[in-house]
Amino acid sequence: MAPTPRHPSLTGWDPVAEGNFLASVFALDGVAGLEIPFSGKLHKEDEAWFLRQLPEDACFVVTTIPGTMARVQADQSFGLASTSASGRRSALDFVQDALESVKRLNGQLGRPAVVALELHAAPVAAKDAASAAALEASLTELAGRDTAGARLVLEHCDALISGQAPAKGFLPLEAEAEAVQRAGDATGHPFGMVVNWGRSVIEQRRPEAGHEHITYLRERGLLGGVVLSGCSSIDTRYGPAWADVHVPPAPPESARSGASDPTIRSDELLEPGSLLTIGRIEECLRAAGPLSETGFRAIKVAAPPNASVEQRVMAIAQTLTVAQQPSRNLQT
């Protein structure tokens, strides 16, 4: 499993605390690597310091979603699927920056440690601002670049749905899959797509959507990874209903009464109001099939606001315990 690291302090950077956090996460049973957020560099404070904290034998997935969203907020035409020539060019340049960061990480560890670079079909698909044709053109161009051994994969985020406030609001899954398929056929690059369970469910407002998206992509031969990130149809301590805030999974003993339990122990960081249950994890992992054919498996989980380093590590540990119950053979 590859968890996504969360900055252990919301009030300022503490390298000692963050170093302890990273070491503790890597020491957890079942952690084979990390998903690293890329915003323009691999660490918002000190990339060189961060790279020195990484174990020599770990594997990594670099995701461009934080930098993508920041740039979309500054320029609504930014994105690989943009119908604006300048917006698409800016996105291609941003991906090149991410590829350079992949090379720096690999150089630090002396091997091709980054297994995948996650891309996204920004911008918001409103008023013909985005198209599958533009996305295909971007992917086709990127296939000719040096990826330093990393597979280029498109993470599906929630599509723009009429009458529904989006979290991301990008292209529909089917349009993305068509672009990825065509770019792969044209270039020979082994493009794939990643399902983030929570983002698929947020899009459809149905917990079955994650399984459906996984099945759809696997049947097309495009599944390149599964990220177990939860969400909730009700307000929780992690955020409002249907927010893309990486709600932890439901605890095994949860009665799922339809309400977040305010009496849950302070050291219990799973969320009874989460739609991501052990049963749904099991059906998704079964649908995804073998790692050798369908890419990496990862968890993405938040901790409560103002959580300590210990609580953040515990949130990851508890989520791993739930994710590993359906199968003890998961790895990245």
Side-chain angles (χ1 to χ4, degrees):
M1 285 284 184
T4 296
R6 292 289 174 183
H7 205 286
S9 174
L10 299 178
T11 58
W13 184 46
D14 182 343
V16 174
E18 186 164 344
N20 291 336
F21 170 72
L22 290 169
S24 298
V25 169
F26 280 116
L28 294 174
D29 183 34
V31 172
L34 295 176
E35 181 193 67
I36 301 175
F38 179 79
S39 58
K41 51 186 178 178
L42 294 173
H43 190 277
K44 65 180 183 179
E45 300 291 346
D46 190 335
E47 183 181 282
W49 173 90
F50 174 70
L51 294 179
R52 291 195 298 270
Q53 312 309 308
L54 303 181
E56 293 183 359
D57 58 348
C59 294
F60 303 92
V61 174
V62 174
T63 175
T64 61
I65 193 63
T68 295
M69 295 309 297
R71 284 159 177 77
V72 167
Q73 290 175 3
D75 176 6
Q76 294 182 359
S77 72
F78 176 92
L80 294 175
S82 180
T83 54
S84 160
S86 62
R88 196 166 70 83
R89 177 52 49 191
S90 294
L92 287 166
D93 291 344
F94 171 64
V95 174
Q96 184 60 42
D97 291 341
L99 288 172
E100 295 303 319
S101 79
V102 167
K103 295 173 186 177
R104 291 194 297 273
L105 193 158
N106 288 345
Q108 175 69 32
L109 297 183
R111 60 185 176 84
V114 179
V115 298
L117 175 64
E118 287 183 317
L119 310 176
H120 303 85
V124 176
K127 299 180 180 179
D128 299 321
S131 74
L135 177 60
E136 178 189 343
S138 294
L139 294 176
T140 299
E141 179 171 340
L142 290 172
R145 299 187 183 182
D146 179 9
T147 68
R151 184 184 187 186
L152 300 179
V153 293
L154 189 77
E155 181 188 28
H156 177 64
C157 297
D158 66 292
L160 187 65
I161 304 293
S162 178
Q164 178 176 296
K168 302 292 188 291
F170 295 162
L171 290 172
L173 180 74
E174 295 79 7
E176 293 177 342
E178 184 66 22
V180 169
Q181 185 83 64
R182 291 172 66 89
D185 290 346
T187 65
H189 185 87
F191 290 108
M193 291 188 65
V194 174
V195 173
N196 179 303
W197 190 92
R199 287 171 178 161
S200 291
V201 173
I202 288 168
E203 172 188 303
Q204 297 291 321
R205 300 292 197 262
R206 296 182 298 107
E208 298 82 10
H211 177 265
E212 292 169 358
H213 285 181
I214 289 169
T215 301
Y216 175 82
L217 292 176
R218 188 182 179 195
E219 288 178 347
R220 294 196 62 160
L222 294 176
L223 187 62
V226 173
V227 178
L228 298 172
S229 174
C231 66
S232 179
S233 61
I234 60 174
D235 294 351
T236 70
R237 56 188 164 157
Y238 295 94
W242 302 121
D244 187 7
V245 291
H246 318 304
V247 177
E253 68 278 13
S254 173
R256 303 206 50 76
S257 61
S260 183
D261 184 356
T263 66
I264 193 168
R265 298 197 325 267
S266 61
D267 63 341
E268 176 58 82
L269 298 170
L270 301 181
E271 175 50 56
S274 177
L275 295 172
L276 184 60
T277 64
I278 286 181
R280 287 169 180 149
I281 291 173
E282 183 173 11
E283 70 176 6
C284 286
L285 295 179
R286 187 183 302 116
L291 283 166
S292 59
E293 297 177 7
T294 56
F296 62 89
R297 306 289 182 265
I299 61 170
K300 184 175 260 187
V301 59
N306 302 316
S308 65
V309 169
E310 291 75 16
Q311 287 174 314
R312 291 175 184 274
V313 174
M314 188 180 298
I316 295 172
Q318 292 177 357
T319 300
L320 275 172
T321 297
V322 172
Q324 289 169 334
Q325 285 197 27
S327 170
R328 300 299 302 178
N329 299 313
L330 298 178
Q331 56 183 312
T332 49

